[in-house]
Short mmCIF file of all heavy atoms in Angstrom, two decimals:
data_model
loop_
_atom_site.label_atom_id
_atom_site.label_comp_id
_atom_site.label_asym_id
_atom_site.label_seq_id
_atom_site.Cartn_x
_atom_site.Cartn_y
_atom_site.Cartn_z
N LEU N 33 66.85 -26.55 -15.24
CA LEU N 33 67.89 -26.02 -14.38
C LEU N 33 67.44 -25.98 -12.91
O LEU N 33 68.28 -25.81 -12.02
CB LEU N 33 68.25 -24.59 -14.82
CG LEU N 33 68.98 -24.48 -16.15
CD1 LEU N 33 69.14 -23.01 -16.53
CD2 LEU N 33 70.35 -25.14 -16.03
N GLU N 34 66.18 -26.20 -12.65
CA GLU N 34 65.65 -26.15 -11.29
C GLU N 34 66.35 -27.20 -10.39
O GLU N 34 66.45 -27.01 -9.19
CB GLU N 34 64.16 -26.40 -11.33
CG GLU N 34 63.44 -26.06 -10.04
CD GLU N 34 61.95 -26.11 -10.17
OE1 GLU N 34 61.42 -26.52 -11.23
OE2 GLU N 34 61.28 -25.76 -9.20
N ARG N 35 66.85 -28.28 -10.99
CA ARG N 35 67.50 -29.35 -10.23
C ARG N 35 69.02 -29.16 -10.15
O ARG N 35 69.71 -30.01 -9.61
CB ARG N 35 67.16 -30.66 -10.85
CG ARG N 35 65.65 -31.04 -10.74
CD ARG N 35 65.34 -32.38 -11.38
NE ARG N 35 65.46 -32.40 -12.80
CZ ARG N 35 64.52 -31.97 -13.66
NH1 ARG N 35 63.43 -31.44 -13.21
NH2 ARG N 35 64.70 -32.04 -14.96
N ASP N 36 69.55 -28.04 -10.66
CA ASP N 36 70.99 -27.78 -10.61
C ASP N 36 71.46 -27.65 -9.17
O ASP N 36 70.74 -27.10 -8.31
CB ASP N 36 71.30 -26.48 -11.39
CG ASP N 36 72.77 -26.29 -11.61
OD1 ASP N 36 73.45 -25.85 -10.66
OD2 ASP N 36 73.26 -26.55 -12.74
N ALA N 37 72.65 -28.12 -8.91
CA ALA N 37 73.21 -28.07 -7.51
C ALA N 37 73.40 -26.65 -7.01
O ALA N 37 73.41 -26.44 -5.80
CB ALA N 37 74.53 -28.85 -7.51
N ASP N 38 73.59 -25.69 -7.89
CA ASP N 38 73.82 -24.32 -7.49
C ASP N 38 72.55 -23.50 -7.25
O ASP N 38 72.63 -22.35 -6.85
CB ASP N 38 74.69 -23.60 -8.55
CG ASP N 38 76.10 -24.15 -8.62
OD1 ASP N 38 76.63 -24.62 -7.60
OD2 ASP N 38 76.67 -24.13 -9.72
N VAL N 39 71.39 -24.11 -7.47
CA VAL N 39 70.13 -23.41 -7.32
C VAL N 39 69.87 -23.15 -5.84
O VAL N 39 70.12 -23.99 -4.98
CB VAL N 39 68.98 -24.20 -7.96
CG1 VAL N 39 67.62 -23.69 -7.50
CG2 VAL N 39 69.09 -24.15 -9.48
N CYS N 40 69.35 -21.99 -5.54
CA CYS N 40 68.91 -21.67 -4.19
C CYS N 40 67.50 -21.10 -4.25
O CYS N 40 67.06 -20.60 -5.30
CB CYS N 40 69.86 -20.71 -3.49
SG CYS N 40 70.11 -19.16 -4.33
N MET N 41 66.79 -21.19 -3.16
CA MET N 41 65.43 -20.67 -3.11
C MET N 41 65.47 -19.23 -2.67
O MET N 41 66.21 -18.86 -1.74
CB MET N 41 64.57 -21.52 -2.15
CG MET N 41 64.46 -22.98 -2.55
SD MET N 41 63.83 -23.22 -4.20
CE MET N 41 62.09 -22.86 -3.94
N LYS N 42 64.65 -18.39 -3.30
CA LYS N 42 64.64 -16.98 -2.99
C LYS N 42 63.19 -16.46 -2.98
O LYS N 42 62.38 -16.88 -3.78
CB LYS N 42 65.44 -16.21 -4.05
CG LYS N 42 65.62 -14.75 -3.75
CD LYS N 42 66.57 -14.14 -4.77
CE LYS N 42 66.85 -12.73 -4.40
NZ LYS N 42 67.82 -12.09 -5.33
N ASP N 43 62.90 -15.58 -2.04
CA ASP N 43 61.56 -14.98 -1.93
C ASP N 43 61.36 -13.97 -3.04
O ASP N 43 62.16 -13.02 -3.17
CB ASP N 43 61.40 -14.31 -0.57
CG ASP N 43 60.00 -13.79 -0.34
OD1 ASP N 43 59.25 -13.66 -1.31
OD2 ASP N 43 59.68 -13.50 0.83
N LYS N 44 60.34 -14.19 -3.87
CA LYS N 44 59.98 -13.20 -4.90
C LYS N 44 58.53 -12.96 -4.80
O LYS N 44 57.71 -13.86 -5.11
CB LYS N 44 60.39 -13.76 -6.26
CG LYS N 44 60.11 -12.74 -7.38
CD LYS N 44 60.62 -13.22 -8.71
CE LYS N 44 60.36 -12.19 -9.79
NZ LYS N 44 60.78 -12.62 -11.10
N ASP N 45 58.18 -11.77 -4.44
CA ASP N 45 56.75 -11.36 -4.28
C ASP N 45 55.96 -12.34 -3.39
O ASP N 45 54.85 -12.73 -3.68
CB ASP N 45 56.08 -11.29 -5.65
CG ASP N 45 56.72 -10.23 -6.56
OD1 ASP N 45 57.19 -9.20 -6.04
OD2 ASP N 45 56.76 -10.46 -7.76
N GLY N 46 56.58 -12.77 -2.28
CA GLY N 46 55.93 -13.61 -1.33
C GLY N 46 55.93 -15.09 -1.65
O GLY N 46 55.34 -15.88 -0.91
N MET N 47 56.56 -15.49 -2.75
CA MET N 47 56.65 -16.89 -3.10
C MET N 47 58.11 -17.30 -3.17
O MET N 47 58.97 -16.54 -3.60
CB MET N 47 56.01 -17.15 -4.50
CG MET N 47 54.52 -16.96 -4.53
SD MET N 47 53.85 -17.27 -6.19
CE MET N 47 54.44 -18.92 -6.52
N MET N 48 58.40 -18.52 -2.71
CA MET N 48 59.79 -19.04 -2.81
C MET N 48 59.97 -19.63 -4.21
O MET N 48 59.17 -20.46 -4.64
CB MET N 48 60.04 -20.07 -1.73
CG MET N 48 59.97 -19.55 -0.33
SD MET N 48 61.07 -18.12 -0.01
CE MET N 48 62.66 -18.96 0.08
N VAL N 49 60.97 -19.16 -4.93
CA VAL N 49 61.24 -19.59 -6.28
C VAL N 49 62.67 -20.07 -6.40
O VAL N 49 63.56 -19.59 -5.67
CB VAL N 49 60.94 -18.49 -7.34
CG1 VAL N 49 59.48 -18.12 -7.37
CG2 VAL N 49 61.82 -17.29 -7.08
N ALA N 50 62.90 -21.02 -7.29
CA ALA N 50 64.24 -21.53 -7.53
C ALA N 50 65.03 -20.51 -8.38
O ALA N 50 64.55 -20.10 -9.43
CB ALA N 50 64.17 -22.87 -8.25
N THR N 51 66.19 -20.13 -7.92
CA THR N 51 67.00 -19.17 -8.65
C THR N 51 68.46 -19.69 -8.79
O THR N 51 68.93 -20.43 -7.95
CB THR N 51 67.07 -17.78 -7.95
OG1 THR N 51 67.61 -17.95 -6.65
CG2 THR N 51 65.70 -17.18 -7.82
N LEU N 52 69.06 -19.32 -9.85
CA LEU N 52 70.42 -19.72 -10.13
C LEU N 52 71.26 -18.43 -10.11
O LEU N 52 71.03 -17.50 -10.91
CB LEU N 52 70.51 -20.35 -11.51
CG LEU N 52 71.85 -20.98 -11.92
CD1 LEU N 52 72.25 -22.09 -10.92
CD2 LEU N 52 71.77 -21.55 -13.32
N PRO N 53 72.21 -18.32 -9.16
CA PRO N 53 73.04 -17.10 -9.08
C PRO N 53 73.91 -16.93 -10.35
O PRO N 53 74.40 -17.90 -10.91
CB PRO N 53 73.94 -17.36 -7.89
CG PRO N 53 73.34 -18.48 -7.13
CD PRO N 53 72.57 -19.29 -8.12
N LEU N 54 74.03 -15.70 -10.80
CA LEU N 54 74.88 -15.36 -11.93
C LEU N 54 76.14 -14.71 -11.40
O LEU N 54 76.19 -14.26 -10.23
CB LEU N 54 74.15 -14.44 -12.89
CG LEU N 54 72.82 -14.96 -13.48
CD1 LEU N 54 72.13 -13.90 -14.27
CD2 LEU N 54 73.06 -16.20 -14.31
N ASN N 55 77.16 -14.61 -12.19
CA ASN N 55 78.41 -14.02 -11.75
C ASN N 55 78.17 -12.54 -11.42
O ASN N 55 77.52 -11.83 -12.19
CB ASN N 55 79.52 -14.12 -12.80
CG ASN N 55 79.96 -15.59 -12.98
OD1 ASN N 55 79.85 -16.39 -12.11
ND2 ASN N 55 80.43 -15.89 -14.18
N ASN N 56 78.78 -12.08 -10.32
CA ASN N 56 78.70 -10.67 -9.98
C ASN N 56 79.58 -9.87 -10.93
O ASN N 56 80.62 -10.35 -11.38
CB ASN N 56 79.16 -10.44 -8.56
CG ASN N 56 78.18 -11.06 -7.54
OD1 ASN N 56 77.05 -11.34 -7.85
ND2 ASN N 56 78.67 -11.21 -6.35
N ILE N 57 79.18 -8.70 -11.26
CA ILE N 57 79.95 -7.81 -12.16
C ILE N 57 80.35 -6.58 -11.34
O ILE N 57 79.50 -5.85 -10.86
CB ILE N 57 79.11 -7.37 -13.38
CG1 ILE N 57 78.64 -8.62 -14.15
CG2 ILE N 57 79.89 -6.42 -14.25
CD1 ILE N 57 77.64 -8.30 -15.23
N THR N 58 81.66 -6.38 -11.24
CA THR N 58 82.17 -5.23 -10.50
C THR N 58 82.49 -4.14 -11.49
O THR N 58 83.14 -4.35 -12.51
CB THR N 58 83.42 -5.59 -9.68
OG1 THR N 58 83.08 -6.68 -8.80
CG2 THR N 58 83.93 -4.40 -8.87
N CYS N 59 82.04 -2.94 -11.22
CA CYS N 59 82.30 -1.77 -12.09
C CYS N 59 82.98 -0.69 -11.25
O CYS N 59 82.70 -0.53 -10.09
CB CYS N 59 80.99 -1.22 -12.65
SG CYS N 59 80.03 -2.40 -13.59
N PHE N 60 83.88 0.02 -11.89
CA PHE N 60 84.58 1.11 -11.25
C PHE N 60 84.24 2.38 -12.01
O PHE N 60 84.57 2.52 -13.18
CB PHE N 60 86.09 0.85 -11.25
CG PHE N 60 86.47 -0.39 -10.50
CD1 PHE N 60 86.61 -1.59 -11.16
CD2 PHE N 60 86.59 -0.38 -9.14
CE1 PHE N 60 86.88 -2.75 -10.50
CE2 PHE N 60 86.89 -1.56 -8.45
CZ PHE N 60 87.03 -2.75 -9.12
N PRO N 61 83.57 3.33 -11.35
CA PRO N 61 83.12 4.53 -12.01
C PRO N 61 84.29 5.45 -12.43
O PRO N 61 85.27 5.55 -11.71
CB PRO N 61 82.20 5.20 -10.99
CG PRO N 61 82.68 4.67 -9.67
CD PRO N 61 83.21 3.32 -9.93
N HIS N 62 84.15 6.03 -13.60
CA HIS N 62 85.10 7.00 -14.10
C HIS N 62 84.34 8.18 -14.62
O HIS N 62 83.16 8.06 -15.00
CB HIS N 62 85.91 6.41 -15.27
CG HIS N 62 86.78 5.28 -14.93
ND1 HIS N 62 88.03 5.42 -14.42
CD2 HIS N 62 86.58 3.94 -14.97
CE1 HIS N 62 88.60 4.25 -14.18
NE2 HIS N 62 87.71 3.31 -14.53
N THR N 63 85.01 9.32 -14.79
CA THR N 63 84.41 10.39 -15.55
C THR N 63 84.58 10.08 -17.00
O THR N 63 85.42 9.29 -17.41
CB THR N 63 85.07 11.75 -15.23
OG1 THR N 63 86.44 11.65 -15.66
CG2 THR N 63 84.99 12.10 -13.76
N LEU N 64 83.73 10.68 -17.85
CA LEU N 64 83.86 10.44 -19.30
C LEU N 64 85.25 10.86 -19.80
O LEU N 64 85.91 10.12 -20.50
CB LEU N 64 82.77 11.24 -20.04
CG LEU N 64 82.76 11.10 -21.56
CD1 LEU N 64 82.61 9.64 -22.01
CD2 LEU N 64 81.67 11.96 -22.14
N GLU N 65 85.72 11.98 -19.33
CA GLU N 65 87.02 12.49 -19.77
C GLU N 65 88.14 11.60 -19.23
O GLU N 65 89.11 11.31 -19.93
CB GLU N 65 87.23 13.93 -19.28
CG GLU N 65 86.32 14.94 -19.92
CD GLU N 65 84.93 14.96 -19.27
OE1 GLU N 65 84.75 14.46 -18.15
OE2 GLU N 65 84.00 15.46 -19.94
N GLY N 66 88.02 11.14 -17.99
CA GLY N 66 89.06 10.30 -17.41
C GLY N 66 89.19 8.97 -18.09
O GLY N 66 90.31 8.49 -18.36
#
Side-chain angles (χ1 to χ4, degrees):
L33 290 174
E34 193 171 7
R35 294 180 291 278
D36 190 282
D38 293 328
V39 165
C40 58
M41 299 304 286
K42 186 173 185 178
D43 184 344
K44 184 174 180 182
D45 300 326
M47 293 180 54
M48 296 304 285
V49 296
T51 60
L52 187 60
L54 302 174
N55 292 334
N56 293 342
I57 301 171
T58 303
C59 301
F60 300 94
H62 295 275
T63 63
L64 179 59
E65 295 80 17

